[in-house]
Amino acid sequence: MSPARRCSRTACARPAVATLTYVYGDQTAVLGPLATFAEPHAYDLCSEHSERLSAPRGWEVLRLAPDPDAMGPSSDDLLALADAVREAERPPAAITLGAVPDEGREVGRRGHLRVLRPVED
Ligand SMILES: [Zn+2]
Protein backbone atom coordinates (compact mmCIF):
# COMPACT_ATOMS: atom_id res chain seq x y z
CA MET A 1 0.00 0.00 0.00
CA SER A 2 1.40 3.39 -0.94
CA PRO A 3 1.95 6.03 1.72
CA ALA A 4 -1.03 8.26 2.42
CA ARG A 5 -1.09 11.55 0.56
CA ARG A 6 -0.61 14.51 2.86
CA CYS A 7 -2.17 17.94 2.95
CA SER A 8 -0.02 20.39 1.03
CA ARG A 9 -0.51 23.24 3.50
CA THR A 10 2.57 24.27 5.44
CA ALA A 11 2.88 22.55 8.81
CA CYS A 12 -0.16 20.34 8.18
CA ALA A 13 0.41 16.60 8.37
CA ARG A 14 -3.17 15.40 8.03
CA PRO A 15 -4.03 13.02 5.20
CA ALA A 16 -5.29 14.63 2.01
CA VAL A 17 -8.92 14.02 1.08
CA ALA A 18 -9.35 16.44 -1.80
CA THR A 19 -7.39 18.12 -4.56
CA LEU A 20 -7.60 21.82 -5.23
CA THR A 21 -6.91 22.89 -8.79
CA TYR A 22 -6.45 26.52 -9.77
CA VAL A 23 -7.87 27.39 -13.18
CA TYR A 24 -6.17 30.72 -13.82
CA GLY A 25 -7.96 31.42 -17.08
CA ASP A 26 -11.37 31.31 -15.42
CA GLN A 27 -10.23 32.55 -12.00
CA THR A 28 -11.81 29.48 -10.50
CA ALA A 29 -10.52 27.19 -7.77
CA VAL A 30 -11.90 23.68 -8.23
CA LEU A 31 -12.03 21.47 -5.17
CA GLY A 32 -12.63 17.88 -6.13
CA PRO A 33 -11.76 14.28 -5.34
CA LEU A 34 -8.10 13.44 -4.90
CA ALA A 35 -6.42 13.70 -8.27
CA THR A 36 -4.79 10.55 -9.57
CA PHE A 37 -1.85 12.46 -11.00
CA ALA A 38 0.10 15.40 -9.67
CA GLU A 39 -0.78 18.50 -11.65
CA PRO A 40 1.24 21.73 -11.75
CA HIS A 41 -1.57 23.85 -10.36
CA ALA A 42 -3.12 21.24 -8.04
CA TYR A 43 -2.74 20.97 -4.30
CA ASP A 44 -3.85 18.16 -2.02
CA LEU A 45 -5.82 19.29 1.02
CA CYS A 46 -7.01 17.60 4.21
CA SER A 47 -10.70 17.75 5.20
CA GLU A 48 -10.16 20.68 7.54
CA HIS A 49 -8.25 22.79 5.07
CA SER A 50 -10.64 21.99 2.23
CA GLU A 51 -13.58 23.14 4.41
CA ARG A 52 -11.80 26.35 5.36
CA LEU A 53 -10.73 27.00 1.81
CA SER A 54 -11.15 30.57 0.68
CA ALA A 55 -10.42 31.65 -2.85
CA PRO A 56 -8.32 34.67 -3.73
CA ARG A 57 -10.24 37.92 -4.18
CA GLY A 58 -12.35 37.84 -7.33
CA TRP A 59 -12.11 34.07 -7.67
CA GLU A 60 -14.87 31.50 -7.52
CA VAL A 61 -14.67 28.22 -5.67
CA LEU A 62 -16.24 25.20 -7.32
CA ARG A 63 -16.66 22.23 -4.99
CA LEU A 64 -17.10 18.79 -6.50
CA ALA A 65 -18.30 15.82 -4.48
CA PRO A 66 -16.74 16.69 -1.12
CA ASP A 67 -17.63 13.28 0.30
CA PRO A 68 -16.72 10.25 -1.86
CA ASP A 69 -19.32 8.13 -0.01
CA ALA A 70 -22.03 10.59 -1.01
CA MET A 71 -21.15 10.44 -4.68
CA GLY A 72 -24.11 9.19 -6.65
CA PRO A 73 -24.54 8.15 -10.28
CA SER A 74 -23.34 11.60 -11.34
CA SER A 75 -19.83 11.03 -10.01
CA ASP A 76 -18.57 10.19 -13.48
CA ASP A 77 -19.90 13.50 -14.72
CA LEU A 78 -18.19 15.36 -11.91
CA LEU A 79 -14.92 13.58 -12.55
CA ALA A 80 -15.26 14.31 -16.25
CA LEU A 81 -15.85 17.96 -15.40
CA ALA A 82 -12.77 18.01 -13.18
CA ASP A 83 -10.75 16.42 -15.97
CA ALA A 84 -12.15 18.90 -18.48
CA VAL A 85 -11.21 21.79 -16.23
CA ARG A 86 -7.70 20.44 -15.82
CA GLU A 87 -7.44 19.82 -19.54
CA ALA A 88 -8.60 23.36 -20.28
CA GLU A 89 -5.87 24.71 -18.04
CA ARG A 90 -3.16 23.37 -20.30
CA PRO A 91 -2.36 26.34 -22.50
CA PRO A 92 -2.15 25.79 -26.24
CA ALA A 93 0.61 27.63 -28.07
CA ALA A 94 -1.99 29.76 -29.79
CA ILE A 95 -5.67 29.65 -30.60
CA THR A 96 -6.84 31.06 -33.88
CA LEU A 97 -10.47 31.71 -34.59
CA GLY A 98 -11.71 31.65 -38.15
CA ALA A 99 -9.04 32.27 -40.75
CA VAL A 100 -5.83 30.35 -40.46
CA PRO A 101 -2.71 32.43 -41.08
CA ASP A 102 -0.18 31.29 -43.65
CA GLU A 103 2.50 30.91 -41.04
CA GLY A 104 2.11 28.36 -38.30
CA ARG A 105 1.66 24.66 -38.34
CA GLU A 106 -1.50 23.05 -37.11
CA VAL A 107 -0.66 20.81 -34.20
CA GLY A 108 -4.11 19.96 -32.91
CA ARG A 109 -7.77 20.76 -32.77
CA ARG A 110 -10.26 21.45 -30.02
CA GLY A 111 -13.71 21.36 -31.52
CA HIS A 112 -13.79 24.16 -34.07
CA LEU A 113 -10.57 25.66 -32.71
CA ARG A 114 -7.20 25.05 -34.27
CA VAL A 115 -4.12 24.93 -32.11
CA LEU A 116 -1.18 26.49 -33.91
CA ARG A 117 2.46 26.54 -33.10
CA PRO A 118 4.62 29.27 -34.66
CA VAL A 119 7.07 28.19 -37.33
CA GLU A 120 10.61 28.51 -36.06
CA ASP A 121 13.16 29.63 -38.59
ZN1 LIG B 1 -4.39 20.49 6.05
Side-chain angles (χ1 to χ4, degrees):
M1 188 174 166
S2 60
R5 305 250 302 255
R6 297 291 175 188
C7 179
S8 62
R9 295 291 193 211
T10 306
C12 180
R14 284 183 285 268
V17 299
T19 295
L20 176 67
T21 304
Y22 287 109
V23 184
Y24 292 95
D26 294 333
Q27 294 206 318
T28 301
V30 180
L31 187 66
L34 265 183
T36 309
F37 302 101
E39 298 278 352
H41 302 302
Y43 303 89
D44 292 342
L45 294 178
C46 65
S47 57
E48 189 171 323
H49 276 121
S50 52
E51 281 173 17
R52 294 195 313 196
L53 170 70
S54 61
R57 187 180 179 86
W59 283 53
E60 282 188 68
V61 176
L62 187 61
R63 293 173 185 266
L64 305 178
D67 182 0
D69 295 328
M71 288 166 69
S74 64
S75 63
D76 284 349
D77 291 341
L78 292 173
L79 289 172
L81 174 59
D83 285 345
V85 165
R86 290 183 179 117
E87 169 69 21
E89 175 61 13
R90 291 179 195 128
I95 294 179
T96 303
L97 287 168
V100 179
D102 292 331
E103 66 277 359
R105 184 167 57 88
E106 186 173 328
V107 295
R109 284 171 181 267
R110 289 174 189 230
H112 64 287
L113 301 178
R114 294 162 184 267
V115 179
L116 299 177
R117 181 168 294 155
V119 173
E120 299 171 16
D121 55 11

